[in-house]
Coordinates of all heavy atoms in Angstrom, one line a residue:
M1 N 177.0 104.7 109.5 CA 176.9 104.7 108.1 C 175.9 103.6 107.6 O 175.1 103.8 106.7 CB 178.3 104.4 107.4 CG 179.1 105.7 107.3 SD 178.3 106.9 106.2 CE 179.6 107.4 105.2
A2 N 175.9 102.6 108.3 CA 175.1 101.4 107.9 C 173.6 101.8 107.9 O 172.8 101.4 107.1 CB 175.4 100.2 108.7
E3 N 173.3 102.6 108.9 CA 171.9 102.9 109.1 C 171.3 103.8 108.0 O 170.2 103.5 107.4 CB 171.7 103.6 110.4 CG 171.5 102.7 111.6 CD 171.3 103.5 112.9 OE1 170.5 104.4 112.9 OE2 172.0 103.2 113.9
E4 N 172.1 104.8 107.6 CA 171.6 105.7 106.5 C 171.3 104.9 105.2 O 170.3 105.1 104.5 CB 172.7 106.7 106.2 CG 172.5 107.9 107.1 CD 173.5 109.0 106.8 OE1 173.7 109.3 105.6 OE2 174.1 109.6 107.8
T5 N 172.2 104.0 104.9 CA 172.0 103.2 103.6 C 170.7 102.4 103.6 O 169.9 102.5 102.7 CB 173.2 102.2 103.4 OG1 174.4 102.8 103.9 CG2 173.3 101.9 101.9
S6 N 170.4 101.8 104.7 CA 169.2 101.0 104.7 C 167.9 101.8 104.6 O 166.9 101.5 104.0 CB 169.2 100.1 106.0 OG 169.1 101.0 107.1
L7 N 168.0 103.1 105.2 CA 166.8 103.9 105.1 C 166.5 104.3 103.7 O 165.4 104.3 103.2 CB 167.1 105.2 106.0 CG 165.9 105.7 106.7 CD1 166.3 106.7 107.9 CD2 164.9 106.5 105.8
E8 N 167.5 104.7 102.9 CA 167.3 105.1 101.5 C 166.7 103.9 100.7 O 165.8 104.1 99.9 CB 168.6 105.6 100.9 CG 168.9 107.0 101.2 CD 170.2 107.5 100.7 OE1 170.7 106.9 99.7 OE2 170.8 108.5 101.2
D9 N 167.3 102.8 101.0 CA 166.8 101.6 100.2 C 165.3 101.4 100.5 O 164.5 101.2 99.6 CB 167.5 100.3 100.7 CG 168.8 100.2 99.9 OD1 168.9 100.8 98.9 OD2 169.6 99.4 100.3
F10 N 164.9 101.5 101.7 CA 163.5 101.4 102.1 C 162.6 102.3 101.3 O 161.5 102.0 100.8 CB 163.3 101.5 103.6 CG 161.9 101.3 104.0 CD1 161.3 100.1 104.1 CD2 161.1 102.5 104.4 CE1 160.0 99.9 104.5 CE2 159.8 102.3 104.8 CZ 159.3 101.0 104.8
L11 N 163.0 103.6 101.3 CA 162.2 104.6 100.6 C 162.0 104.3 99.1 O 160.9 104.4 98.5 CB 162.8 106.0 100.8 CG 162.6 106.6 102.2 CD1 163.3 108.0 102.2 CD2 161.1 106.8 102.5
D12 N 163.1 104.0 98.5 CA 163.0 103.7 97.0 C 162.0 102.6 96.7 O 161.1 102.7 95.9 CB 164.4 103.2 96.5 CG 165.2 104.5 96.0 OD1 164.5 105.6 96.1 OD2 166.3 104.3 95.7
A13 N 162.1 101.5 97.5 CA 161.2 100.4 97.3 C 159.7 100.8 97.4 O 158.9 100.4 96.6 CB 161.5 99.2 98.2
G14 N 159.4 101.6 98.4 CA 158.1 102.0 98.7 C 157.5 102.8 97.5 O 156.4 102.5 97.0
D15 N 158.2 103.7 96.9 CA 157.7 104.5 95.8 C 157.3 103.6 94.6 O 156.2 103.7 94.1 CB 158.8 105.5 95.3 CG 158.6 106.8 96.0 OD1 157.5 107.0 96.7 OD2 159.5 107.7 95.9
E16 N 158.2 102.7 94.3 CA 157.9 101.9 93.1 C 156.6 101.0 93.2 O 155.8 101.0 92.4 CB 159.1 101.0 92.8 CG 160.2 101.7 92.0 CD 161.4 100.9 91.9 OE1 161.3 99.7 91.9 OE2 162.5 101.5 91.8
S17 N 156.5 100.4 94.4 CA 155.3 99.5 94.5 C 154.0 100.3 94.5 O 153.0 99.8 94.1 CB 155.5 98.7 95.8 OG 155.4 99.5 96.9
E18 N 154.0 101.5 94.9 CA 152.8 102.3 94.9 C 152.3 102.6 93.5 O 151.1 102.5 93.2 CB 153.0 103.6 95.6 CG 152.2 103.8 96.9 CD 152.4 105.1 97.5 OE1 152.0 106.1 97.0 OE2 153.0 105.2 98.6
D19 N 153.2 102.9 92.6 CA 152.8 103.2 91.2 C 152.1 101.9 90.6 O 151.1 102.0 90.0 CB 154.1 103.5 90.4 CG 154.3 105.0 90.4 OD1 153.4 105.7 90.9 OD2 155.3 105.4 89.8
E20 N 152.7 100.8 90.8 CA 152.1 99.6 90.2 C 150.7 99.3 90.7 O 149.9 98.9 89.9 CB 153.1 98.4 90.4 CG 154.3 98.4 89.5 CD 155.2 97.2 89.8 OE1 154.6 96.1 89.9 OE2 156.4 97.4 90.0
G21 N 150.5 99.5 92.0 CA 149.2 99.3 92.6 C 148.1 100.1 91.9 O 147.1 99.6 91.5
V22 N 148.3 101.4 91.7 CA 147.3 102.2 91.1 C 146.9 101.8 89.7 O 145.8 101.8 89.3 CB 147.8 103.7 91.1 CG1 146.8 104.5 90.3 CG2 147.9 104.2 92.5
N23 N 147.9 101.4 88.9 CA 147.6 101.0 87.5 C 146.9 99.7 87.4 O 146.2 99.4 86.4 CB 148.9 101.0 86.7 CG 149.3 102.4 86.3 OD1 148.5 103.3 86.3 ND2 150.6 102.6 85.9
G24 N 147.1 98.8 88.3 CA 146.6 97.4 88.2 C 145.1 97.3 88.4 O 144.5 96.4 87.9
V25 N 144.5 98.2 89.2 CA 143.1 98.0 89.6 C 142.2 98.9 88.7 O 142.5 100.1 88.5 CB 142.9 98.3 91.1 CG1 141.5 97.9 91.5 CG2 143.9 97.6 91.9
S26 N 141.1 98.4 88.3 CA 140.1 99.1 87.5 C 139.7 98.2 86.3 O 140.5 97.3 86.0 CB 140.5 100.5 87.0 OG 141.3 100.3 85.8
A27 N 138.6 98.5 85.6 CA 138.2 97.6 84.5 C 137.8 96.2 84.9 O 138.6 95.6 85.6 CB 139.2 97.6 83.4
G28 N 136.7 95.7 84.6 CA 136.3 94.4 85.0 C 135.0 94.4 85.8 O 134.6 93.4 86.4
D29 N 134.3 95.5 85.8 CA 133.0 95.7 86.5 C 131.8 95.9 85.6 O 130.7 95.9 86.1 CB 133.2 96.8 87.5 CG 132.8 96.5 88.9 OD1 132.3 95.4 89.1 OD2 133.1 97.2 89.8
E30 N 132.0 95.9 84.3 CA 131.0 96.3 83.4 C 130.3 95.1 82.7 O 129.6 95.3 81.8 CB 131.5 97.3 82.4 CG 132.1 98.6 83.1 CD 132.6 99.5 82.0 OE1 132.0 99.5 80.9 OE2 133.6 100.2 82.2
T31 N 130.6 93.9 83.1 CA 130.1 92.8 82.4 C 128.8 92.3 82.9 O 128.1 91.5 82.3 CB 131.1 91.6 82.5 OG1 132.2 92.0 83.3 CG2 131.6 91.2 81.1
T32 N 128.3 92.8 84.1 CA 127.1 92.3 84.7 C 125.9 93.2 84.5 O 124.9 93.1 85.2 CB 127.3 91.9 86.1 OG1 128.4 92.7 86.6 CG2 127.5 90.5 86.3
E33 N 125.9 94.2 83.6 CA 124.9 95.2 83.6 C 123.8 94.9 82.6 O 122.8 95.6 82.4 CB 125.5 96.6 83.3 CG 125.9 97.3 84.5 CD 126.2 98.7 84.3 OE1 125.4 99.4 83.6 OE2 127.2 99.2 84.8
T34 N 123.9 93.8 81.8 CA 122.9 93.5 80.8 C 121.7 92.7 81.3 O 120.9 92.2 80.6 CB 123.5 92.8 79.6 OG1 124.9 92.5 80.0 CG2 123.5 93.6 78.4
E35 N 121.6 92.5 82.6 CA 120.6 91.6 83.2 C 119.3 92.3 83.5 O 118.3 91.7 83.8 CB 121.1 90.9 84.4 CG 122.0 89.7 84.1 CD 122.4 89.0 85.4 OE1 121.5 88.7 86.2 OE2 123.6 88.6 85.5
S36 N 119.2 93.6 83.5 CA 118.1 94.3 84.0 C 116.9 94.3 83.0 O 115.8 94.8 83.3 CB 118.5 95.8 84.4 OG 119.3 96.3 83.4
E37 N 117.1 93.8 81.8 CA 116.0 93.9 80.8 C 115.1 92.6 80.8 O 114.2 92.5 80.0 CB 116.6 94.0 79.4 CG 117.4 95.3 79.3 CD 118.0 95.4 77.9 OE1 117.3 94.9 77.0 OE2 119.1 95.9 77.8
V38 N 115.3 91.7 81.7 CA 114.6 90.4 81.7 C 113.3 90.4 82.5 O 112.6 89.4 82.5 CB 115.5 89.3 82.2 CG1 115.0 87.9 81.7 CG2 116.9 89.5 81.6
S39 N 112.8 91.5 83.1 CA 111.7 91.4 83.9 C 110.4 92.1 83.3 O 109.7 92.9 83.9 CB 112.0 92.1 85.3 OG 112.5 93.4 85.0
D40 N 110.1 91.7 82.0 CA 109.0 92.3 81.3 C 108.0 91.3 80.9 O 107.0 91.6 80.3 CB 109.5 93.0 80.1 CG 109.2 94.5 80.2 OD1 108.3 94.9 80.9 OD2 109.9 95.3 79.4
A41 N 108.1 90.0 81.3 CA 107.3 89.0 80.7 C 106.2 88.5 81.7 O 106.0 87.3 81.9 CB 108.1 87.8 80.2
E42 N 105.5 89.4 82.3 CA 104.4 88.9 83.2 C 103.1 89.5 83.0 O 102.1 89.2 83.6 CB 104.9 89.1 84.7 CG 105.2 90.6 85.0 CD 105.5 90.8 86.5 OE1 104.6 90.8 87.2 OE2 106.7 90.9 86.8
V43 N 102.9 90.5 82.1 CA 101.7 91.2 81.9 C 101.1 90.8 80.5 O 100.2 91.4 80.0 CB 101.9 92.7 81.9 CG1 100.5 93.4 82.1 CG2 102.8 93.1 83.0
S44 N 101.5 89.6 80.0 CA 101.0 89.3 78.6 C 100.2 88.0 78.6 O 100.1 87.4 77.6 CB 102.2 89.2 77.7 OG 103.1 88.3 78.2
T45 N 99.6 87.6 79.7 CA 98.8 86.4 79.7 C 97.3 86.7 79.4 O 96.7 87.4 80.1 CB 98.8 85.7 81.1 OG1 99.0 86.7 82.1 CG2 100.0 84.7 81.2
D46 N 96.9 86.2 78.2 CA 95.5 86.5 77.7 C 94.4 85.8 78.5 O 94.3 84.6 78.5 CB 95.4 86.2 76.2 CG 96.1 87.2 75.4 OD1 95.4 88.2 75.1 OD2 97.3 87.1 75.1
G47 N 93.6 86.5 79.1 CA 92.4 86.0 79.8 C 92.7 85.3 81.1 O 91.7 84.9 81.8
V48 N 93.9 85.0 81.4 CA 94.2 84.3 82.6 C 94.5 85.3 83.8 O 95.4 85.1 84.5 CB 95.4 83.3 82.4 CG1 95.4 82.3 83.5 CG2 95.3 82.7 81.1
E49 N 93.7 86.3 83.8 CA 93.9 87.2 84.9 C 93.5 86.6 86.3 O 92.5 85.9 86.3 CB 93.1 88.5 84.6 CG 93.7 89.7 85.2 CD 93.5 90.9 84.3 OE1 94.0 90.9 83.2 OE2 92.9 91.9 84.8
P50 N 94.2 86.9 87.3 CA 93.9 86.4 88.6 C 92.5 86.9 89.1 O 92.1 88.0 88.8 CB 95.0 86.9 89.5 CG 95.6 88.1 88.7 CD 95.4 87.7 87.3
A51 N 91.8 86.0 89.8 CA 90.5 86.4 90.3 C 90.6 87.5 91.3 O 90.8 87.2 92.5 CB 89.8 85.2 90.8
V52 N 90.5 88.7 90.9 CA 90.5 89.8 91.8 C 89.2 90.0 92.4 O 88.2 89.7 91.8 CB 91.0 91.1 91.1 CG1 91.4 92.1 92.2 CG2 92.1 90.8 90.2
T53 N 89.1 90.5 93.6 CA 87.8 90.6 94.3 C 87.0 91.8 93.7 O 85.7 91.7 93.8 CB 88.0 90.9 95.8 OG1 89.1 91.7 96.0 CG2 88.3 89.6 96.5
T54 N 87.6 92.7 93.1 CA 86.9 93.9 92.7 C 86.2 93.7 91.3 O 85.1 94.3 91.1 CB 87.8 95.1 92.6 OG1 89.0 94.8 92.0 CG2 88.0 95.7 94.0
Y55 N 86.8 93.0 90.4 CA 86.1 92.8 89.1 C 86.5 91.4 88.5 O 87.5 90.8 88.9 CB 86.5 93.9 88.1 CG 87.9 93.9 87.6 CD1 88.2 93.2 86.5 CD2 88.9 94.6 88.3 CE1 89.5 93.2 86.0 CE2 90.2 94.6 87.9 CZ 90.5 93.9 86.7 OH 91.8 93.9 86.3
A56 N 85.7 91.0 87.5 CA 86.0 89.8 86.8 C 86.2 90.0 85.4 O 85.6 90.9 84.8 CB 84.8 88.8 87.0
W57 N 87.1 89.2 84.8 CA 87.5 89.4 83.4 C 87.2 88.2 82.6 O 87.6 87.1 82.9 CB 89.0 89.8 83.3 CG 89.5 89.8 81.9 CD1 90.1 88.7 81.2 CD2 89.5 90.8 81.0 NE1 90.4 89.1 80.0 CE2 90.1 90.4 79.8 CE3 89.0 92.2 81.1 CZ2 90.2 91.2 78.7 CZ3 89.2 93.0 79.9 CH2 89.8 92.5 78.8
S58 N 86.3 88.3 81.5 CA 86.0 87.2 80.7 C 86.4 87.5 79.2 O 85.8 88.4 78.7 CB 84.5 86.9 80.8 OG 84.1 86.8 82.1
P59 N 87.3 86.9 78.7 CA 87.8 87.2 77.3 C 86.7 87.1 76.3 O 86.7 87.9 75.3 CB 88.8 86.0 77.1 CG 89.2 85.6 78.4 CD 88.0 85.8 79.3
E60 N 85.8 86.2 76.4 CA 84.7 86.1 75.4 C 83.5 86.9 75.8 O 82.5 86.9 75.1 CB 84.3 84.6 75.3 CG 85.4 83.7 74.8 CD 85.6 82.5 75.7 OE1 84.5 82.0 76.1 OE2 86.7 82.1 76.0
G61 N 83.5 87.5 76.9 CA 82.4 88.3 77.4 C 81.4 87.5 78.2 O 81.3 86.3 78.1
A62 N 80.8 88.2 79.2 CA 79.8 87.5 80.0 C 78.7 88.5 80.3 O 79.0 89.7 80.4 CB 80.5 87.1 81.3
P63 N 77.5 88.0 80.5 CA 76.3 88.9 80.7 C 76.4 89.6 82.0 O 76.7 89.0 83.1 CB 75.1 88.0 80.6 CG 75.7 86.6 81.0 CD 77.1 86.6 80.5
C64 N 76.0 90.9 82.0 CA 75.9 91.6 83.2 C 74.7 91.1 84.0 O 73.7 90.8 83.5 CB 75.8 93.1 82.9 SG 75.1 94.1 84.2
A65 N 74.8 91.1 85.3 CA 73.8 90.5 86.1 C 72.6 91.5 86.2 O 71.5 91.2 86.6 CB 74.3 90.2 87.5
E66 N 72.9 92.8 85.9 CA 71.8 93.8 86.0 C 71.1 93.9 84.7 O 69.8 93.8 84.6 CB 72.5 95.1 86.4 CG 72.6 95.3 87.9 CD 71.3 95.4 88.6 OE1 70.4 96.1 88.2 OE2 71.2 94.7 89.7
C67 N 71.8 94.3 83.6 CA 71.1 94.6 82.3 C 71.3 93.5 81.3 O 70.6 93.5 80.3 CB 71.6 95.9 81.8 SG 73.4 95.8 81.3
G68 N 72.1 92.5 81.6 CA 72.2 91.4 80.6 C 73.2 91.7 79.5 O 73.4 90.8 78.6
E69 N 73.7 92.8 79.4 CA 74.7 93.1 78.3 C 75.9 92.3 78.5 O 76.5 92.2 79.6 CB 75.0 94.6 78.3 CG 75.9 95.0 77.2 CD 75.9 96.4 76.9 OE1 74.9 97.1 77.2 OE2 76.9 97.0 76.4
V70 N 76.4 91.8 77.4 CA 77.6 91.0 77.4 C 78.9 91.9 77.4 O 79.1 92.6 76.4 CB 77.7 90.0 76.3 CG1 79.0 89.2 76.3 CG2 76.5 89.0 76.4
V71 N 79.6 91.8 78.4 CA 80.8 92.6 78.5 C 82.0 91.8 78.9 O 81.8 90.7 79.5 CB 80.7 93.8 79.5 CG1 79.6 94.8 79.0 CG2 80.2 93.2 80.8
E72 N 83.2 92.2 78.6 CA 84.4 91.5 79.0 C 84.7 91.6 80.4 O 85.2 90.7 81.1 CB 85.6 91.9 78.1 CG 85.5 91.5 76.7 CD 86.7 91.9 75.9 OE1 87.5 92.6 76.4 OE2 86.8 91.4 74.7
R73 N 84.5 92.8 80.9 CA 84.9 93.1 82.3 C 83.7 93.5 83.1 O 82.9 94.4 82.8 CB 85.9 94.2 82.3 CG 86.5 94.4 83.7 CD 87.6 95.4 83.6 NE 88.6 95.1 82.6 CZ 89.7 95.8 82.4 NH1 90.0 96.8 83.1 NH2 90.6 95.5 81.5
R74 N 83.5 92.8 84.2 CA 82.4 93.0 85.1 C 82.9 93.3 86.5 O 83.9 92.7 86.9 CB 81.4 91.9 85.1 CG 80.7 91.7 83.8 CD 79.9 90.4 83.8 NE 80.8 89.2 84.1 CZ 80.4 88.0 84.5 NH1 79.1 87.8 84.7 NH2 81.2 87.1 84.8
W75 N 82.2 94.2 87.1 CA 82.6 94.5 88.5 C 81.7 93.9 89.5 O 80.5 93.7 89.3 CB 82.6 96.1 88.7 CG 83.8 96.7 88.1 CD1 85.0 97.1 88.7 CD2 84.0 97.1 86.7 NE1 85.8 97.6 87.9 CE2 85.3 97.7 86.6 CE3 83.2 97.0 85.6 CZ2 85.8 98.2 85.4 CZ3 83.7 97.5 84.4 CH2 85.0 98.1 84.3
R76 N 82.3 93.6 90.6 CA 81.6 92.9 91.7 C 80.8 94.0 92.5 O 81.4 95.0 93.0 CB 82.5 92.2 92.6 CG 81.8 91.6 93.8 CD 82.8 90.7 94.6 NE 83.3 89.6 93.9 CZ 82.6 88.4 93.9 NH1 81.5 88.3 94.6 NH2 83.1 87.4 93.2
Q77 N 79.5 93.9 92.5 CA 78.7 94.8 93.3 C 77.8 94.0 94.2 O 77.0 93.2 93.7 CB 77.9 95.7 92.4 CG 77.1 96.7 93.1 CD 76.6 97.8 92.2 OE1 77.3 98.8 92.1 NE2 75.5 97.7 91.6
D78 N 77.9 94.1 95.5 CA 77.2 93.3 96.4 C 77.7 91.9 96.1 O 78.9 91.6 96.2 CB 75.7 93.4 96.3 CG 75.2 94.8 96.7 OD1 75.9 95.4 97.5 OD2 74.2 95.2 96.2
S79 N 76.8 91.0 95.7 CA 77.2 89.6 95.4 C 77.1 89.3 94.0 O 77.2 88.1 93.6 CB 76.5 88.6 96.3 OG 75.1 88.8 96.1
I80 N 76.8 90.2 93.1 CA 76.7 90.0 91.7 C 77.7 90.7 90.9 O 78.4 91.6 91.4 CB 75.3 90.4 91.2 CG1 75.1 91.9 91.5 CG2 74.2 89.6 91.9 CD1 73.8 92.5 90.9
L81 N 77.8 90.3 89.6 CA 78.8 90.9 88.7 C 78.0 91.8 87.7 O 77.2 91.3 87.0 CB 79.6 89.9 88.0 CG 80.6 89.1 88.9 CD1 81.2 88.0 88.1 CD2 81.7 90.0 89.5
V82 N 78.4 93.1 87.6 CA 77.7 94.0 86.7 C 78.7 94.6 85.8 O 79.9 94.7 86.0 CB 76.9 95.0 87.5 CG1 75.8 94.4 88.4 CG2 77.9 95.9 88.3
C83 N 78.1 95.2 84.7 CA 79.0 95.9 83.7 C 79.3 97.3 84.3 O 78.8 97.7 85.3 CB 78.3 96.0 82.4 SG 76.9 97.1 82.4
G84 N 80.2 97.9 83.5 CA 80.6 99.2 84.0 C 79.5 100.3 84.1 O 79.5 101.2 84.9
A85 N 78.5 100.1 83.2 CA 77.4 101.1 83.2 C 76.5 100.9 84.4 O 75.9 101.8 84.9 CB 76.6 100.9 81.9
C86 N 76.4 99.6 84.9 CA 75.5 99.3 86.0 C 76.2 99.5 87.4 O 75.5 99.7 88.4 CB 74.9 97.9 85.9 SG 73.9 97.7 84.5
K87 N 77.4 99.4 87.3 CA 78.1 99.6 88.6 C 78.0 101.0 89.1 O 78.1 102.0 88.4 CB 79.6 99.3 88.4 CG 80.5 99.6 89.6 CD 80.8 98.4 90.3 CE 81.9 98.7 91.4 NZ 81.2 99.2 92.6
S88 N 77.6 101.1 90.4 CA 77.5 102.4 91.0 C 78.8 102.8 91.6 O 79.1 102.2 92.7 CB 76.3 102.4 92.0 OG 76.5 101.3 92.9
W89 N 79.5 103.7 91.0 CA 80.8 104.0 91.5 C 80.7 104.9 92.6 O 80.7 105.6 93.2 CB 81.6 104.7 90.3 CG 81.7 103.8 89.2 CD1 80.9 103.8 88.1 CD2 82.6 102.8 89.0 NE1 81.3 102.9 87.2 CE2 82.4 102.2 87.7 CE3 83.7 102.2 89.7 CZ2 83.1 101.1 87.2 CZ3 84.4 101.2 89.2 CH2 84.1 100.6 88.0
Ligands
ZN1 ZN1 74.9 96.2 83.1

């Protein structure tokens, strides 16, 4: 008789603890999603463009080495900087 009683007790306890576990977990993961909007501040530097090998950028304009026209953006051709019209694409 003693054995049967202890078995029933064990089953009852197991059921109850399972219910509580399911209800206790969830909610609390949505607080870290507002950080993805902060990576937009790197393309707004006026005139301070890095010296790329393919072209040069001058905010006030610079004369083309070929025709002398003042342009903001010149492309490197051989060892000189020329405007878009003189550059042979
Ligand atoms: Zn030119």
Side-chain angles (χ1 to χ4, degrees):
M1 277 298 229
E3 275 182 49
E4 274 182 43
T5 325
S6 67
L7 217 162
E8 275 176 26
D9 273 344
F10 180 75
L11 283 180
D12 270 356
D15 266 351
E16 276 173 30
S17 66
E18 241 182 74
D19 267 358
E20 280 178 50
V22 173
N23 279 343
V25 190
S26 83
D29 232 347
E30 301 178 34
T31 2
T32 23
E33 273 193 43
T34 5
E35 276 185 48
S36 45
E37 295 178 36
V38 196
S39 54
D40 240 339
E42 59 175 280
V43 198
S44 52
T45 29
D46 281 272
V48 196
E49 208 142 299
V52 196
T53 41
T54 45
Y55 72 89
W57 171 266
S58 309
E60 299 129 39
C64 162
E66 275 294 314
C67 66
E69 180 162 336
V70 175
V71 292
E72 289 183 351
R73 189 175 306 186
R74 294 170 304 163
W75 279 265
R76 177 177 293 274
Q77 179 162 272
D78 296 332
S79 55
I80 60 174
L81 291 171
V82 299
C83 70
C86 294
K87 171 101 170 81
S88 52
W89 301 95

